[in-house]
């Protein structure tokens, strides 16, 4: 029955539209068709826009118009006289009208004074006039972006344009919190947005445009409505409510100021309704903008985190989340050649979690059923200041300094069928990052760039475990009723990256690039293991194999050459980099030194079939090195049932990566197609040699004699019609891993698939809705699962001042053995009331109205060869009343 209902609902939009006729034709001049010409249809004698189109490479346009109606077509193209053509649409199925343009010296500026084209393309910039797409029910920037053709918003607030991630968001040309897309989409009021400009092939340095490959660099600039600049604007949102168990609150003030030479943004968010404005994931993701081009050097040397294994809230859902967030951002332009930017972010949050897990150890068949109660606290702060100096078109200098502090702790109470324990985790990472970049154009043939980065990091992770058993014979504990073990770590890192590039421009279509660079890293790592006795006495284990005192050095000096050629539709960019590496670690009263050289080729090739369709191929070899965490030979307790050590004999691994990507976006048919396949083969990969004793494991890393392989595929198809849009996407991941478990090589495989289809309406005045279906499969070594998820959302404006929205998802999770099945759903609803031109808005909200208690996830751990099914418990039903005042 559900499938029948879903089928009927899915196809309702195809039968809801009034009878329309397709008007199509070709726009050309005397020499042939014109691409990117604007065609707009108005009802004759009015300024009411009915439909619009942008011609494709063949000059074709297409309009959907109502039958038996007279229209005026306005056709415009830069450098040509605007054509006004009257046409009557009869009741025939299709009509054709070709239009020839005449050259003119007039610009399009005079035309734009009388009407706005909904979508306008100017070189690499797409301009969306948002009033042509919105319905008036939008609240935040993400609501607007989601309605623009070619733009998608994911669940994390990240933006994709034509299948590519947006790297930066600007407001009136100024950075909004370093261009962070999530903060922008969830905080900029929809009422302030006039135009959205998509900047493709974006490069902050004008002198580097066209020299480097910037196809993946996309930025968005938000143009504000008249009256939203040169004075303060914003909103204050406050609310209260209750769930089945507790009282709830929220307060979200936002304040913005924009003028020609300065901007200030102030954000705050205090709530306990389970909506974290800034998460631990955001903390580590927040790098700020497009810098960090050292990633293309062919070397991967990343400083590891504490690896304490903090529990992560699933989809930002947990039993309880309390958040206190504040942020300030500014931009100042004292003169045309100088720009200052900065921001500060603070966040204090507490999260309560309860998780039931069912873990199967594939080697022994042991099943561990556990319940974990966790309380997590996070306090973080980030501060950044940056400046850009451009005294001339030939010189561009950037400098920024970025500091991050995090204090995180987690208490866990684990009740298990195998072994129960209480654990405590704590880390206090601090990092300071400085960048200095300079770009200089000597003349038409010679361009220089220099990029320098220095990073300092330190952390003092702590892990504490209290259990009735101590299973590791390596640890000489004193017998107690409870074994209270404390693992201390302390490490610091100083890392310098620098490179100088010289570009010799052979002609407008080709150049040579010579690169000289280096990475130098120095790390200090210490650890010790303690036992706290019942009388409070601390026993420090002095054994050499339970302590670490390591000095670790890494250096890479490299010289590279790349050649770039543009020939017709082909861009060909091969390269070769020579690396000289040195790795040295000092521990256990000895010093190990390893030196090696590598020649690493790479290739980038692109076929640009037309301005909106391309096929790209990438190949690269990356040399991956481990840091001090993998080198320390002393054992460390990372979990109450896990003991690990490093291996100073580790060598580097080589990652071969092949990728093929296809991008197509047609403004003629509003069709967006993206597809990619990626194959990665890791040779001499750093894997784990694990001894599993019951549910406990002792492991250390080693280089694998077998190659790991990963194949991923992605496909997305989206099409926007006059009254609705459709989307389909598919993701596939097939991976093969190799590890040693109990002295035997174990080859594990994972295969995951996800498919999603949806259709959404785009009515200006009538109710709008979206319906869709998501189907996910996960297959692991000895088991798997299937999740079916139909979903729908509805938006109904009524009685001029009311808006009612509903968001519903249904989940059906079951394992392949059909021994476990969980069905649950989520229903959220909002009722808004705001009179026209009023600054007050009132909202009644309901969350988790189905009062669902938990959600399912499953995972595979290749190191211990285990499958885990988890049940995460979440907040109960919630009701809220809130008031918003628009400043």
């Amino acid at each position: 029955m559900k499938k029948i209902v879903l089928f009927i609902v899915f196809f309702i939009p195809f039968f809801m539209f009034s009878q329309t006729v397709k008007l199509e034709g070709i726009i050309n001049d005397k020499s042939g068709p014109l691409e990117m010409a604007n065609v707009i249809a108005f009802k004759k004698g009015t300024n009411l826009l009915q439909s619009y189109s942008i011609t494709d490479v063949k000059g074709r346009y297409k309009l959907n118009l109502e039958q038996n109606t007279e229209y005026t077509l306005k056709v415009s193209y830069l450098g040509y006289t605007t054509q006004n053509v009257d046409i009557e649409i009869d009741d025939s199925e299709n009509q054709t009208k070709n239009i020839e343009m005449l050259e003119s010296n007039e610009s399009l500026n005079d035309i734009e004074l009388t009407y706005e084209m909904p979508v306008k393309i100017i070189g690499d910039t797409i301009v969306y006039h948002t009033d042509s797409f919105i319905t008036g029910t939008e609240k935040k920037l993400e609501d607007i972006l989601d309605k623009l053709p070619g733009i998608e918003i994911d669940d994390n607030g990240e933006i994709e344009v034509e299948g590519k991630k947006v790297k930066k968001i600007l407001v009136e040309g100024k950075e909004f919190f370093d261009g962070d897309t999530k903060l922008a989409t969830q905080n900029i009021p929809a009422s302030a947005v006039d135009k959205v400009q998509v900047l493709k092939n974006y490069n902050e340095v004008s002198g580097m445009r066209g020299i480097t490959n910037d196809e993946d660099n996309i930025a968005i600039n938000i143009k504000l409505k008249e009256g939203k600049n040169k004075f303060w604007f914003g909103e204050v949102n406050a609310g209260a409510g209750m769930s089945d168990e507790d009282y709830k609150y929220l307060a979200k003030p936002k304040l913005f100021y924009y003028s020609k030479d300065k901007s200030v943004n102030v954000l705050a968010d205090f709530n306990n309704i389970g909506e974290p404005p800034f998460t631990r994931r955001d903390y580590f993701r927040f790098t700020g903008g497009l810098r960090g081009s050292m990633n293309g050097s062919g070397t991967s040397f990343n400083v590891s985190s504490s690896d304490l294994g903090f529990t992560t809230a699933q989809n930002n859902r947990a039993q309880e989340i309390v958040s206190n967030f504040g942020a300030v951002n500014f931009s100042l332009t004292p003169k045309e050649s100088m720009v200052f930017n900065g921001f500060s972010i603070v966040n204090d949050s507490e999260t309560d979690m309860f998780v039931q897990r069912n873990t199967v150890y594939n080697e022994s068949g042991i099943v561990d059923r556990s319940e974990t109660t966790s309380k997590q606290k996070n306090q973080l702060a980030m501060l950044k200041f940056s400046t850009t100096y451009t005294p001339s078109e030939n010189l561009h200098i950037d400098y920024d300094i970025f500091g991050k502090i995090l204090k995180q702790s987690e208490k866990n109470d684990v009740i298990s069928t195998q072994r129960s324990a209480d654990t405590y985790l704590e880390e206090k990472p601090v990092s300071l990052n400085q960048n200095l970049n300079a770009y200089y154009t000597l003349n038409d043939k010679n361009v220089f760039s220099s990029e320098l980065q220095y990073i300092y990091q330190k952390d003092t992770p702590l892990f504490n475990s209290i259990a009735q058993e101590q299973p590791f014979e390596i640890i000489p504990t004193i017998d107690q009723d409870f074994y209270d073990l404390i693992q201390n770590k302390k490490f610091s890192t100083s890392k310098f990256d620098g490179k100088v590039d010289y570009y010799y421009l052979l002609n407008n279509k080709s150049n040579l690039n010579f690169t000289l660079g280096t990475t130098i890293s120095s790390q200090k790592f210490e650890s010790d293991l303690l036992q706290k006795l019942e009388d409070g006495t601390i026993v420090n284990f002095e054994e050499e194999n339970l302590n670490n005192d390591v000095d670790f050095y890494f250096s890479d000096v490299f010289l590279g050459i790349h050649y770039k050629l543009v020939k017709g539709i082909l861009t060909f960019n091969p390269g070769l980099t020579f690396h000289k590496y040195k790795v040295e670690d000092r521990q256990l009263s000895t010093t190990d030194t390893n030196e090696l050289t590598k020649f690493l080729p790479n290739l980038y090739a692109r076929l640009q079939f037309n301005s909106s369709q391309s096929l790209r191929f990438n190949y690269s070899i990356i040399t991956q090195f481990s840091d001090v965490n993998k080198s320390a030979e002393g054992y460390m307790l990372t979990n109450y049932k896990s003991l690990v050590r490093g291996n100073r004999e580790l060598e580097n691994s080589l990652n071969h990566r092949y990728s093929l990507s296809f991008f197509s976006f047609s403004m003629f048919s509003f069709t967006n197609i993206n597809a990619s396949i990626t194959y990665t083969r890791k040779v001499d990969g750093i894997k784990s040699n694990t001894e599993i004793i019951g549910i406990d494991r002792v492991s250390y890393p080693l280089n694998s004699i077998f190659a790991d392989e990963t194949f991923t595929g992605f496909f997305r198809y989206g099409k926007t019609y006059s009254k609705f849009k459709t989307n389909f996407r598919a993701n596939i991941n097939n991976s093969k891993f190799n590890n040693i478990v109990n002295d035997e090589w174990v080859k594990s495989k994972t295969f995951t698939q996800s498919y999603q289809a949806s259709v959404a309406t785009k009515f200006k005045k009538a109710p709008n809705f979206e319906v869709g279906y998501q189907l996910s499969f996960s297959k692991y070594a000895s088991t798997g699962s299937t999740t079916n998820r139909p979903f729908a959302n509805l938006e109904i404006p009524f009685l001029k001042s009311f808006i009612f929205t509903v968001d519903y998802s249904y989940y059906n999770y079951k394992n392949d053995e059909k021994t476990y099945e969980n069905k649950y759903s989520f229903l959220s609803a909002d009722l808004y009331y705001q009179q026209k031109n009023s600054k007050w808005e009132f909202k009644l909200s309901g969350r988790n109205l189905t009062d669902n208690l938990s959600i399912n996830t499953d995972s595979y751990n290749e190191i211990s060869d285990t499958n885990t099914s988890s049940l995460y418990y979440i907040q109960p039903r919630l009701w809220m009343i809130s008031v918003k005042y628009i400043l």
Side-chain angles (χ1 to χ4, degrees):
M1 182 63 183
K2 287 179 181 176
K3 292 182 179 180
I4 296 175
V5 172
L6 181 62
F7 178 84
I8 294 173
V9 172
F10 192 87
F11 285 95
I12 282 178
F14 295 94
F15 305 102
M16 292 185 60
F17 310 112
S18 59
Q19 295 296 316
T20 60
V21 172
K22 183 188 297 182
L23 174 65
E24 53 190 353
I26 295 175
I27 308 299
N28 64 287
D29 64 2
K30 293 181 180 180
S31 61
L34 297 176
E35 184 183 5
M36 300 298 178
N38 298 326
V39 184
I40 305 179
F42 296 90
K43 281 193 176 181
K44 188 175 181 179
T46 73
N47 287 323
L48 299 176
L49 186 150
Q50 298 298 304
S51 185
Y52 68 94
S53 179
I54 296 177
T55 57
D56 65 3
V57 67
K58 297 180 180 180
R60 298 178 300 175
Y61 74 91
K62 180 170 58 178
L63 301 170
N64 291 310
L65 302 173
E66 295 179 7
Q67 295 177 348
N68 303 314
T69 306
E70 293 184 343
Y71 292 93
T72 297
L73 303 183
K74 288 184 179 288
V75 185
S76 57
Y77 192 79
L78 185 64
Y80 289 76
T81 301
T82 299
Q83 299 290 318
N84 296 309
V85 180
D86 292 334
I87 187 170
E88 181 177 354
I89 302 299
D90 54 29
D91 56 3
S92 61
E93 288 188 3
N94 293 303
Q95 292 183 228
T96 302
K97 183 67 177 178
N98 298 327
I99 300 172
E100 182 174 327
M101 303 292 289
L102 300 176
E103 292 189 19
S104 170
N105 293 325
E106 296 180 3
S107 69
L108 282 178
N109 293 332
D110 297 331
I111 301 169
E112 293 169 357
L113 293 175
T114 58
Y115 69 90
E116 284 277 8
M117 184 69 182
V119 182
K120 184 167 52 180
I121 299 178
I122 308 171
D124 287 334
T125 302
I126 303 175
V127 182
Y128 295 91
H129 183 58
T130 58
D131 285 347
S132 301
F133 299 94
I134 63 176
T135 63
T137 60
E138 298 78 15
K139 303 301 178 183
K140 298 180 289 188
L141 175 62
E142 66 176 348
D143 300 327
I144 293 178
L145 296 179
D146 198 42
K147 294 182 178 179
L148 303 182
I151 299 180
E152 300 287 337
I153 308 288
D154 65 17
D155 294 336
N156 295 316
E158 295 185 353
I159 311 168
E160 287 187 5
V161 172
E162 301 175 16
K164 303 171 186 175
K165 292 283 187 184
V166 172
K167 304 291 182 65
K168 177 167 290 196
I169 281 194
L170 311 171
V171 179
E172 293 289 342
K174 300 174 178 62
E175 293 186 354
F176 186 87
F177 285 96
D178 222 19
D180 184 69
T181 58
K182 179 181 175 180
L183 285 179
T185 56
Q186 296 185 359
N187 287 284
I188 296 177
S191 59
V193 180
D194 181 36
K195 294 182 179 68
V196 173
Q197 298 175 332
V198 174
L199 313 176
K200 299 195 291 185
N201 300 314
Y202 179 73
N203 196 316
E204 297 170 298
V205 184
S206 60
M208 301 301 295
R209 293 169 190 163
I211 298 177
T212 55
N213 296 318
D214 298 321
E215 290 80 8
D216 286 335
N217 289 346
I218 295 181
I220 285 180
N221 182 45
I222 304 300
K223 299 294 289 183
L224 300 176
K225 289 184 177 179
E226 288 294 330
K228 296 297 183 183
N229 50 22
K230 296 185 180 179
F231 74 95
W232 292 91
F233 69 95
E235 61 186 37
V236 178
N237 193 346
M242 63 181 304
S243 67
D244 293 348
E245 300 176 355
D246 200 1
Y247 290 100
K248 301 296 180 181
Y249 64 87
L250 68 86
K252 298 182 180 181
K254 303 172 185 177
L255 197 59
F256 310 93
Y257 176 84
Y258 282 89
S259 67
K260 181 179 180 181
D261 58 354
K262 65 176 70 72
S263 70
V264 179
N265 305 287
V266 182
L267 307 175
D269 192 328
F270 310 96
N271 77 82
N272 66 344
I273 61 175
E275 295 182 358
F278 203 80
T279 65
R280 184 174 181 266
R281 179 177 181 268
D282 295 327
Y283 173 86
F284 289 105
R285 172 189 57 82
F286 210 99
T287 57
L290 303 174
R291 295 169 186 168
S293 56
M294 289 295 293
N295 294 333
S297 68
T299 299
S300 175
F301 177 74
N302 296 318
V303 179
S304 301
S305 65
S306 62
D307 197 27
L308 286 180
F310 283 87
T311 306
T312 302
Q314 298 300 305
N315 300 322
N316 292 332
R317 290 191 174 106
Q319 276 195 319
E320 182 78 12
I321 302 177
V322 179
S323 300
N324 299 287
F325 168 82
V328 178
N329 167 229
F330 79 91
S331 177
L332 178 64
T333 308
K335 56 182 180 179
E336 189 175 349
S337 61
M338 181 74 73
V339 179
F340 298 103
N341 291 286
F343 69 83
S344 63
I345 295 175
V346 293
N347 189 73
D348 187 351
S349 64
E350 293 187 8
T351 305
D352 295 342
M353 288 171 279
F354 179 66
V355 185
Q356 292 179 329
R357 293 185 176 89
N358 188 76
T359 301
V360 178
Y361 291 76
N362 296 315
E363 178 75 15
S364 62
I366 293 175
V367 178
D368 182 14
R369 295 180 177 87
S370 65
E371 294 182 349
T372 303
T373 302
S374 304
K375 189 172 188 64
Q376 192 176 101
K377 295 182 179 182
N378 291 277
Q379 294 176 312
L380 63 87
M382 297 192 296
L383 180 66
K384 183 172 183 179
F385 173 79
S386 61
T387 182
T388 300
Y389 179 55
T390 52
S392 68
E393 292 184 356
N394 296 331
L395 180 61
H396 182 112
I397 301 174
D398 292 318
Y399 171 77
D400 53 56
I401 182 168
F402 186 25
K404 300 166 68 173
I405 301 173
L406 172 66
K407 180 180 179 182
Q408 181 172 236
S409 64
E410 179 179 303
K411 293 181 180 180
N412 297 296
D413 180 11
V414 184
I415 300 175
S416 168
T417 56
Q418 298 296 323
R419 184 186 311 119
S420 299
D422 292 334
T423 64
Y424 175 76
L425 300 77
E426 181 182 273
E427 65 173 350
K428 300 176 182 178
V430 176
S431 67
L432 184 66
N433 186 324
Q434 294 186 77
N435 294 275
L436 177 62
N437 306 308
Y439 309 89
Y440 178 64
T441 301
L442 180 63
N443 50 44
D444 292 340
K445 291 288 187 179
N446 301 278
V447 178
F448 298 86
S449 73
S450 173
E451 300 180 358
L452 310 176
Q453 181 182 78
Y454 174 74
I455 299 174
Y456 174 76
Q457 296 179 343
K458 70 174 184 178
D459 195 3
T460 54
L462 179 147
F463 174 76
N464 178 215
S465 170
I466 302 175
Q468 288 183 312
E469 300 177 35
Q470 197 291 97
F472 303 109
E473 295 182 358
I474 300 172
I475 305 176
T477 50
I478 299 174
D479 289 341
Q480 301 276 286
D481 291 336
F482 291 93
Y483 293 90
D484 188 344
L485 299 179
I486 302 172
Q487 177 69 67
N488 292 306
K489 297 180 184 177
K490 180 180 179 181
F491 63 83
S492 62
T493 299
S494 295
K495 182 168 175 277
F496 172 79
D497 295 295
K499 71 170 185 174
V500 176
D501 282 286
Y502 167 62
Y503 297 88
Y504 179 68
L505 309 186
L506 302 172
N507 50 54
N508 291 334
K509 299 292 185 179
S510 63
N511 66 66
L512 286 170
N513 170 215
F514 299 92
T515 304
L516 176 64
T518 186
T519 295
I520 303 171
S521 175
S522 173
Q523 294 182 290
K524 176 71 174 179
F525 179 76
E526 299 175 0
S527 75
D528 57 46
L529 184 61
L530 314 174
Q531 182 182 7
K532 184 178 180 180
L533 304 183
E534 294 174 356
D535 61 3
T537 303
I538 300 296
V539 177
N540 192 338
F541 301 113
E542 302 291 344
E543 286 75 8
E544 191 174 66
N545 64 346
L546 296 177
N547 290 269
N548 285 291
D549 186 358
V550 186
D551 293 306
F552 188 87
Y553 303 93
F554 171 83
S555 67
D556 170 26
V557 178
F558 59 92
L559 178 65
I561 181 171
H562 289 79
Y563 172 66
K564 182 180 180 180
L565 171 68
V566 180
K567 184 75 172 178
I569 66 170
L570 173 66
T571 298
F572 185 66
N573 191 188
L576 181 67
T577 307
F578 169 77
H579 291 264
K580 183 173 179 59
Y581 299 105
K582 181 178 181 180
V583 182
E584 180 179 292
D585 84 89
R586 300 173 183 170
Q587 59 179 313
L588 304 176
S589 303
T590 61
T591 300
D592 275 3
T593 302
N594 184 24
E595 298 185 12
L596 68 154
T597 58
K598 294 285 184 183
F599 286 92
L600 303 178
N602 58 77
L603 173 65
Y604 170 87
R606 184 179 81 249
L607 292 174
Q608 192 72 43
F609 301 111
N610 52 54
S611 60
S612 58
Q613 195 174 82
S614 65
L615 180 68
R616 298 189 306 177
F617 173 76
N618 274 286
Y619 168 71
S620 62
I621 300 179
I622 298 175
T623 307
Q624 185 171 10
F625 291 86
S626 59
D627 73 342
V628 68
N629 287 276
K630 296 287 187 181
S631 178
E633 289 276 357
Y635 283 97
M636 292 164 283
L637 200 65
T638 59
N639 188 287
Y640 70 95
K641 53 185 178 181
S642 175
L643 195 66
V644 303
R645 68 170 177 87
N647 180 3
R648 67 191 308 189
E649 302 298 327
L650 285 178
E651 298 179 356
N652 66 281
S653 64
L654 287 176
N655 297 343
H656 298 258
R657 187 177 186 274
Y658 308 79
S659 68
L660 185 66
S661 305
F662 176 75
F663 301 92
S664 175
F665 178 66
S666 171
M667 295 298 289
F668 164 69
S669 61
F670 290 109
T671 302
N672 187 13
I673 301 174
N674 315 123
S676 65
I677 54 174
T678 302
Y679 172 74
T680 303
R681 180 180 175 86
K682 181 180 288 188
V683 180
D684 294 327
I686 299 173
K687 310 301 295 183
S688 289
N689 186 337
T690 303
E691 179 185 6
I692 297 180
I693 308 168
I695 64 170
D696 306 301
R697 73 171 188 254
V698 180
S699 60
Y700 65 91
L702 79 170
N703 291 101
S704 173
I705 60 174
F706 301 105
D708 286 358
E709 298 175 284
T710 300
F711 174 84
T712 61
F714 171 76
F715 175 80
R716 180 170 62 192
Y717 173 86
K719 186 172 179 62
T720 301
Y721 301 87
S722 61
K723 299 299 182 183
F724 66 97
K725 66 176 182 178
T726 58
N727 278 291
F728 173 78
R729 65 173 61 199
N731 290 277
I732 296 175
N733 183 300
N734 188 16
S735 300
K736 299 178 181 178
F737 305 107
N738 298 276
N739 287 280
I740 296 179
V741 178
N742 292 341
D743 296 325
E744 293 184 4
W745 281 101
V746 174
K747 177 175 288 188
S748 55
K749 300 180 181 180
T750 64
F751 184 45
T752 60
Q753 307 170 67
S754 178
Y755 306 93
Q756 179 175 309
S758 65
V759 60
T761 60
K762 293 177 53 192
F763 297 118
K764 271 284 188 179
K765 296 182 180 179
N768 284 296
F769 62 86
E770 179 186 22
V771 291
Y773 199 93
Q774 185 181 56
L775 183 61
S776 302
F777 303 94
S778 299
K779 183 67 177 177
Y780 304 113
S782 61
T783 186
S785 65
T786 301
T787 302
N788 293 271
R789 177 185 168 248
F791 60 91
N793 58 70
L794 179 66
E795 185 180 85
I796 306 174
F798 64 98
L799 298 178
K800 295 184 179 180
S801 300
F802 290 90
I803 301 172
F804 180 63
T805 64
V806 178
D807 192 350
Y808 176 78
S809 294
Y810 174 84
Y811 295 80
N812 184 355
Y813 170 93
K814 57 185 176 182
N815 60 10
D816 286 355
E817 295 80 12
K818 298 181 179 180
T819 58
Y820 179 79
E821 183 174 9
N822 189 20
K823 299 178 181 179
Y824 54 95
S825 61
F826 287 102
L827 175 64
S828 299
D830 295 294
L831 178 63
Y832 299 88
Y833 173 75
Q834 184 179 20
Q835 291 185 341
K836 187 177 181 180
N837 299 325
S838 173
K839 293 186 176 183
W840 292 93
E841 178 190 85
F842 302 90
K843 182 173 71 169
L844 173 64
S845 303
R847 297 291 180 265
N848 192 14
L849 296 180
T850 53
D851 206 21
N852 177 55
L853 299 179
S854 60
I855 58 177
N856 284 94
T857 64
D858 54 25
S859 61
Y860 174 75
N861 188 313
E862 60 167 306
I863 297 176
S864 57
D865 190 24
T866 56
N867 305 311
T868 301
S869 297
S870 302
L871 199 63
Y872 288 83
Y873 283 77
I874 60 174
Q875 291 193 91
R877 182 189 295 113
L878 167 68
W879 292 100
M880 290 286 295
I881 296 177
S882 59
V883 179
K884 180 170 72 176
Y885 180 74
I886 301 173
L887 302 173

